[in-house]
Amino acid sequence: MDIFMQAALDEARKGSREGGIPIGAVLVEEGRIIGRGRNRRVQQRDQMMHAEIDCLRNARLTGGYHNAVLYTTLMPCYMCAGAVVYFGIKKVVVGEARSAPAARDFMQAHGIEVVDLDWAECRMLMEEYISMNRKQWDEVLSELNPDLLIQQEK
């Protein structure tokens, strides 16, 4: 088991216990975690507070993260993928991409290596959340990209 993805999963579970969407992220540089975050959209009533953004806000202040790897339990959306590009992160490791495939192609087009672990634990956490919070999840997806709702229903 990857210890950094496990740390991201721990963040996702914390978010779930807080009543939020179970998505977590950690930023790793030179083998140590320099930032942690979780989706706090529900808790803070802030649609911009995605796990990856929260993680970057909590990371050390820098002009970039060119040697860092972002671990996230769910494939980043376009907003978060834009932040990955902006900060020069070259690798993103994803727990699962089935719930919201979002911006894989966008990141790869910008030279970012995207590794999808397709972890059953990450999938099950999201599947459980979605089944219990379908209306809220549809709202999240429609904010990100209305076409995702259509894809999700297929």
Side-chain angles (χ1 to χ4, degrees):
M1 181 171 288
D2 186 300
I3 61 169
F4 299 123
M5 184 55 70
Q6 186 60 55
L9 196 52
D10 291 345
E11 288 296 318
R13 287 191 182 107
K14 286 179 189 174
S16 182
R17 285 193 298 272
E18 295 168 353
I21 302 167
I23 304 168
V26 297
L27 190 62
V28 177
E29 188 175 69
E30 297 179 3
R32 66 183 185 82
I33 295 172
I34 62 169
R36 295 174 182 268
R38 58 188 168 274
N39 187 296
R40 296 174 191 252
R41 178 188 184 280
V42 174
Q43 300 92 309
Q44 294 184 2
R45 299 187 48 76
D46 181 350
Q47 63 199 26
M48 302 284 290
M49 194 47 68
H50 293 201
E52 299 85 352
I53 300 301
D54 189 38
C55 177
L56 290 168
R57 291 180 86 180
N58 292 323
R60 63 162 173 69
L61 191 59
T62 180
Y65 301 106
H66 307 288
N67 297 313
V69 178
L70 179 67
Y71 289 77
T72 180
T73 59
L74 185 67
M75 182 67 70
C77 69
Y78 287 101
M79 177 181 72
C80 296
V84 167
V85 171
Y86 180 80
F87 285 109
I89 297 168
K90 299 295 182 204
K91 184 174 182 179
V92 176
V93 180
V94 178
E96 75 106 341
R98 297 179 193 193
S99 300
R104 176 195 308 251
D105 292 342
F106 172 82
M107 289 186 288
Q108 290 174 329
H110 284 84
I112 297 163
E113 179 185 358
V114 179
V115 178
D116 181 2
L117 299 177
D118 196 29
W119 267 21
E121 203 167 355
C122 291
R123 277 194 325 272
M124 289 186 305
L125 188 62
M126 284 307 299
E127 287 169 4
E128 180 180 316
Y129 169 79
I130 291 168
S131 71
M132 294 174 58
N133 300 280
R134 186 72 215 194
K135 183 178 178 189
Q136 187 175 57
W137 183 244
D138 285 349
E139 181 181 294
V140 169
L141 288 180
S142 67
E143 285 174 358
L144 304 177
N145 183 346
D147 294 335
L148 289 177
L149 276 176
I150 296 165
Q151 291 174 6
Q152 191 77 8
E153 293 170 357
K154 291 183 181 177

